[in-house]
């Protein structure tokens, strides 16, 4: 039986379902069979959660509502009792039942900007590697081998710092491939860079820090994570040679920063490598002030025309938190990242991580450890590097041919490039034209801190499309950019 607790007009108009007429709201109840009470609870909970029943509103007495819905009074009383226990309703003895006030911190949580549904057929937004390149078979083989040989104890609560097997494998890999100075005890496994950044902010905040420098171009999400974890994000300027250390020595917001987040190997999203004298200048700042440099090495392995630039961390490991992620080399879905934390900070980091209640699952950690140890990770990176290099070359050639007024920058490395549009062009027009050609792409403005706007540009990710769709995706983007005289 489906019943509607409706406003009087609706009830009169439909004359079908029973209705309770003292409220001006609709309450749809599925009162079938033995689930009458559960249905009533769910409908009331939903009405309170969505605001259709506002805080402070009085509910009908259990007797009235039971009569209205032709159900037992106890059923209503039990449902009210349950919702009082859960905090949705409040009961005042002898006075009735009200919708409870929601705690302010729940009601006023900042809303996440609505995720834009991507309707376009071809997705050239940055940040995600090719799903089609995920090594499904090798990953499954590593998972099977790892689980088969794992001790039962692996199925208990995992070590908060991460499984030792994985920390050992990563310390070896990072030393060999990225020049990072790390022992297994410096490695902390986290749920991607996003989680690592949150942990770093909490550690710096617990040490009395208030501000964190973040490159003026980057993911706005990282700024939000910083603020949500108690630190004020302050923009570090970036020019053609990468992040600029200029603001660090003059009085101002940056001078008091307790840490700086940098992308030295491949600035995201502008794409340059941090100039060597600047590396030295940032290290000098850290050693002089005791500030910490968070090295976000999100795609350091992908350098196409010469050897990857090694991690900066080795210059002064005691002043760096090196951060890596499986999001580019494997898949963001794994939510696996790692921090290399100096000895002097590791205990604070672990205490904060443990009390955050967020610990990575053991099975994916075991699998990744096995995947690294067996050489699968290196192989995956070598193959992906070749694939992305080919994709990058196709993008360069197609743009050169079809839209020569567009200048590509940041092409030496990574999974994305910056397509700088002529100054007379509007970024949003270019995005709209691309959409009309079936291509989703982001503009640089979406990655820019306020006050640091540059000329119009698109951030073109060449990771996402499957191989068979890549040429068409790029062809359509080029056609859209060549079409610049159309509104
Ligand atoms: C600059 C930068 N840092 C880090 C990451 C990885 O973030 P996560 O490990 O949270 O997926 C990305 C991925 O897009 C990135 O672009």
């Amino acid at each position: 039986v489906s019943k509607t607790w409706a406003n009087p007009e609706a009830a009169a108009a439909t004359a079908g379902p029973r209705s309770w007429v003292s409220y001006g709201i609709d309450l749809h109840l599925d009162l079938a069979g033995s689930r009458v009470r559960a249905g009533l609870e769910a409908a009331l909970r939903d009405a309170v959660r969505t605001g259709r029943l506002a805080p402070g509103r009085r509910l009908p007495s259990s007797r009235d509502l039971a009569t209205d819905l032709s159900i037992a009074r106890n059923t209503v009383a039990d449902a009210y009792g349950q919702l009082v226990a859960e905090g949705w309703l409040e009961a005042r003895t002898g006075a009735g039942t009200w919708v409870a006030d929601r705690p302010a911190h729940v009601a006023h949580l900042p809303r996440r900007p609505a995720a834009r549904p991507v309707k376009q057929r071809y997705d050239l937004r940055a940040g995600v590697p090719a799903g089609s390149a995920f090594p499904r078979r090798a990953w499954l083989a590593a998972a099977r081998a790892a689980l088969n040989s794992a001790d039962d104890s692996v199925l208990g609560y995992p070590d908060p710092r991460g499984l030792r097997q994985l920390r050992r494998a990563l310390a070896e890999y990072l030393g060999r491939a990225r020049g990072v100075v790390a022992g297994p005890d410096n490695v902390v496994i986290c749920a991607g860079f996003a989680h690592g950044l949150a942990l770093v902010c909490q550690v710096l905040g617990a040490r009395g820090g208030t501000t964190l420098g973040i490159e003026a171009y980057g993911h706005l999400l990282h700024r939000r994570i910083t603020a949500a974890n108690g630190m004020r994000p302050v923009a570090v300027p970036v020019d053609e040679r990468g992040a600029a250390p200029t603001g660090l020595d003059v009085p101002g917001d940056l001078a008091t920063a307790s840490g700086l987040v940098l992308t030295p190997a491949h600035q995201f999203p502008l794409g340059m490598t941090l100039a060597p004298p600047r590396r030295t200048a940032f290290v000098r700042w850290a050693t002089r002030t005791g500030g910490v440099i968070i090295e976000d090495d999100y795609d350091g392995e992908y350098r196409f025309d010469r050897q990857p630039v090694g991690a900066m961390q080795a210059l002064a490991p005691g002043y760096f938190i090196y951060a890596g992620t499986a999001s580019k080399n494997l898949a963001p879905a794994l939510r696996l990242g790692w921090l290399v934390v100096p000895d002097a900070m590791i205990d604070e980091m672990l205490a904060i991580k443990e009390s955050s209640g967020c610990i990575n699952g053991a099975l994916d950690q075991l699998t990744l450890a096995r995947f690294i140890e067996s050489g699968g990770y290196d192989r995956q990176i070598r193959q992906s590097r070749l694939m992305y290099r080919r994709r990058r070359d196709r993008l360069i050639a197609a743009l050169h041919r079809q839209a020569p007024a567009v200048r590509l920058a940041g092409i030496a490395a990574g999974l994305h490039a910056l397509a700088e549009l002529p100054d007379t062009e509007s970024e949003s027009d270019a995005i709209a034209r691309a959409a009309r050609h079936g291509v989703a792409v982001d503009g640089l403005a979406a990655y820019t801190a306020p006050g640091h706007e540059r000329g119009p540009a698109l951030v073109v990710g060449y990771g996402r499309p499957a191989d068979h769709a890549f040429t068409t995706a790029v062809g359509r983007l080029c056609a859209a950019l060549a079409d610049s005289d159309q509104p």
Side-chain angles (χ1 to χ4, degrees):
V1 191
S2 185
K3 300 191 181 193
T4 301
W5 182 22
N7 63 36
E9 295 79 14
T14 58
R18 287 164 199 268
S19 60
W20 187 75
V21 295
S22 296
Y23 273 175
I25 62 152
D26 291 335
L27 188 67
H28 298 282
L29 301 178
D30 182 2
L31 300 182
S34 60
R35 304 205 30 86
V36 174
R37 177 180 147 188
L40 179 59
E41 275 175 32
L44 284 169
R45 205 181 282 114
D46 190 59
V48 176
R49 192 177 49 76
T50 57
R52 279 183 295 132
L53 278 176
R57 276 188 88 165
R58 188 172 178 183
L59 278 101
S61 71
S62 54
R63 182 193 306 275
D64 286 350
L65 187 55
T67 308
D68 187 56
L69 298 174
S70 303
I71 58 179
R73 182 179 170 192
N74 276 351
T75 304
V76 179
D78 289 349
Y80 279 7
Q82 177 66 28
L83 295 175
V84 168
E86 291 177 10
W88 300 99
L89 304 181
E90 260 171 42
R92 298 173 205 163
T93 316
T97 307
W98 274 263
V99 177
D101 277 336
R102 307 284 299 281
H105 68 276
V106 172
H108 298 123
L109 266 185
R111 283 190 166 234
R112 184 174 181 271
R116 279 175 304 130
V118 170
K119 292 190 232 81
Q120 277 67 42
R121 182 145 177 219
Y122 299 100
D123 195 348
L124 291 177
R125 292 172 307 146
V128 176
S132 58
F134 186 81
R136 292 183 193 225
R137 280 174 52 184
W139 184 261
L140 281 174
R144 192 175 301 114
L147 191 54
N148 274 337
S149 60
D151 195 271
D152 285 355
S153 63
V154 147
L155 298 168
Y157 286 99
D159 183 340
R161 74 175 80 192
L163 292 199
R164 181 149 187 93
Q165 293 98 308
L166 179 56
R167 290 185 286 113
R168 205 182 323 114
L170 279 169
E172 187 280 324
Y173 168 79
L174 293 173
R176 173 168 54 77
R178 303 295 301 129
V180 174
V181 177
D185 288 344
N186 298 107
V187 178
V188 176
I189 305 299
C190 51
F193 177 73
H195 179 215
L197 176 62
L199 294 174
V200 170
C201 289
Q202 290 173 38
V203 170
L204 296 179
R207 289 181 161 201
T210 55
T211 41
L212 186 71
I214 298 194
E215 290 171 336
Y217 306 93
H219 288 285
L220 300 185
L221 170 66
H222 294 167
R223 259 171 252 283
R224 291 215 307 276
I225 289 172
T226 301
N229 286 278
M231 300 290 281
R232 194 162 57 88
V234 177
V236 177
V238 180
D239 62 21
E240 301 316 314
R241 301 166 69 216
T246 41
L248 297 172
D249 293 328
V250 293
D253 281 341
L254 268 180
T256 56
S258 46
L260 299 175
V261 184
L262 303 177
T263 49
H266 188 222
Q267 205 285 329
F268 185 88
L270 302 185
M272 69 285 286
T273 302
L274 187 62
R278 294 197 171 176
R279 294 180 153 225
T280 317
F282 279 117
V283 169
R284 218 178 289 128
W285 166 81
T287 51
R288 193 182 70 245
T289 64
V292 180
I293 297 175
I294 297 102
E295 178 171 15
D296 177 8
D297 196 31
Y298 64 102
D299 71 355
E301 286 91 348
Y302 294 113
R303 191 163 180 95
F304 301 128
D305 303 315
R306 49 190 166 92
Q307 280 293 97
V309 180
M312 229 174 123
Q313 182 258 13
L315 296 173
Y319 294 90
F320 274 78
I321 296 176
Y322 170 93
T325 175
S327 291
K328 303 285 182 178
N329 295 337
L330 288 166
L334 288 170
R335 301 321 295 138
L336 273 175
W338 39 91
L339 301 176
V340 175
V341 181
D343 293 337
M345 200 186 264
I346 193 82
D347 289 342
E348 288 156 86
M349 176 66 77
L350 289 174
I352 283 189
K353 184 175 179 213
E354 200 167 8
S355 55
S356 79
C358 177
I359 290 175
N360 299 75
L363 300 187
D364 278 347
Q365 292 190 62
L366 269 187
T367 304
L368 180 57
R370 175 63 69 122
F371 195 62
I372 296 172
E373 286 160 1
S374 68
Y377 196 66
D378 284 73
R379 212 164 19 252
Q380 169 71 8
I381 290 171
R382 269 199 311 278
Q383 286 169 359
S384 304
R385 195 188 289 132
L386 276 180
M387 179 185 78
Y388 292 127
R389 183 187 170 152
R390 272 200 302 273
R391 289 185 175 204
R392 178 204 64 164
D393 291 347
R394 270 193 261 167
L395 176 67
I396 295 173
L399 269 177
H400 183 68
R401 219 172 30 245
Q402 287 176 257
V406 175
R407 182 179 165 273
L408 266 189
I411 52 177
L415 277 62
H416 71 275
L418 190 72
E420 294 177 327
L421 309 175
D423 279 344
T424 48
E425 271 256 27
S426 133
E427 205 171 285
S428 50
D429 283 354
I431 293 167
R433 278 202 313 279
R436 283 199 294 278
H437 283 77
V439 176
V441 66
D442 282 325
L444 180 58
Y447 296 98
T448 303
H452 292 265
E453 290 74 13
R454 298 170 39 121
L458 301 181
V459 181
V460 183
Y462 38 86
R464 292 191 202 229
D467 243 358
H468 64 84
F470 185 71
T471 306
T472 313
V474 165
R476 287 182 174 223
L477 175 71
C478 292
L481 294 180
D483 238 5
S484 60
D485 45 352
Q486 287 191 15

